[in-house]
């Protein structure tokens, strides 16, 4: 018997997106984006910079905007999935 994994509809994800900042190691500025934490170790980021993002950077999500190191695990057209580190 095949197991079906329920995935949230795009509208469900969009409803939970919060303001966020992408902070590059050698970059002078933080880039605005929107993000949602999926679980303790994963997040989705909505940005127009998907192709330009390096494999590693920091992500700061509202309300506290505490930067967390992360690594890209998947790239879509406007969505990036990342692994979050403590």
């Amino acid at each position: 018997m095949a197991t079906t994994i329920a995935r949230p509809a795009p509208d469900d994800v969009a409803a939970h997106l919060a303001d966020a900042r992408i902070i590059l190691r050698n970059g002078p500025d933080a880039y605005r984006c929107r993000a949602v934490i999926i679980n303790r170790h994963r997040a989705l980021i909505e940005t127009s910079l998907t192709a330009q993002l390096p494999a590693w950077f920091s992500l700061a999500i509202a309300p506290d905007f505490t930067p967390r190191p992360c690594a890209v695990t998947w790239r879509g057209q406007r969505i990036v999935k990342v692994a979050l580190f403590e």
Side-chain angles (χ1 to χ4, degrees), residues 18-23 30-35 58-68:
D19 288 333
R21 305 289 182 270
I22 294 169
I23 304 161
Y31 298 95
R32 291 182 177 200
C33 63
R34 293 175 23 116
S58 292
L59 179 65
I61 302 175
D64 62 358
F65 290 100
T66 301
R68 290 181 66 183

Side-chain angles (χ1 to χ4, degrees), residues 13-85:
V13 171
H16 293 94
L17 290 170
D19 288 333
R21 305 289 182 270
I22 294 169
I23 304 161
L24 303 179
R25 177 183 286 177
N26 297 323
D29 297 322
Y31 298 95
R32 291 182 177 200
C33 63
R34 293 175 23 116
V36 61
I37 295 176
I38 299 170
N39 62 38
R40 187 172 169 208
H41 302 289
R42 301 274 186 252
L44 291 176
I45 304 169
E46 179 186 60
T47 179
S48 60
L49 302 172
T50 57
Q52 294 85 7
L53 284 177
W56 294 84
F57 56 90
S58 292
L59 179 65
I61 302 175
D64 62 358
F65 290 100
T66 301
R68 290 181 66 183
C70 63
V72 174
T73 58
W74 178 84
R75 293 176 197 259
Q77 191 171 21
R78 295 204 38 97
I79 300 288
V80 177
K81 185 176 181 181
V82 295
L84 297 170
F85 301 97

